Amino acid sequence: RYLSTTNMEQSSSTPNTPVPPVSSDLRYYACDKEKLQALQNEKPWMKNPKHFESVAVSPSAIMKMMMHCASGVQKGIAE
């Protein structure tokens, strides 16, 4: 919502200066610091539980979650 790579590509410190495109691998790390600070101060997720419409989860994080789930099942069965 607030952090958009398209907005970053359009805004530049000096006009007519080409902005390098943000690759798909780096789009999660590109941000506008002023918009990020405004978002952190506003905290819209505290007012609206459905604020985040999508989330990106890395494959390694998914594996860790699945391992956590499997270990929890084993502990529950053992007790």
Side-chain angles (χ1 to χ4, degrees), residues 65-79:
M65 286 187 257
M66 295 306 295
M67 290 170 58
H68 241 25
C69 291
S71 68
V73 169
Q74 294 302 321
K75 286 181 184 177
I77 292 172
E79 291 177 4

Side-chain angles (χ1 to χ4, degrees), residues 3-62:
L3 306 176
S4 171
T5 56
T6 55
N7 291 343
M8 288 184 59
E9 290 171 5
Q10 292 171 354
S11 65
S12 178
S13 57
T14 56
N16 300 327
T17 303
V19 177
V22 179
S23 72
S24 62
D25 293 339
L26 298 176
R27 68 176 175 217
Y28 296 112
Y29 303 106
C31 70
D32 182 349
K33 290 185 181 185
E34 292 174 7
K35 287 183 181 180
L36 179 61
Q37 188 61 45
L39 181 65
Q40 289 174 340
N41 291 338
E42 187 180 328
K43 298 182 182 180
W45 55 87
M46 298 297 280
K47 300 171 192 138
N48 179 7
K50 296 184 180 182
H51 171 75
F52 296 104
E53 297 172 359
S54 63
V55 63
V57 181
S58 70
S60 61
I62 292 172

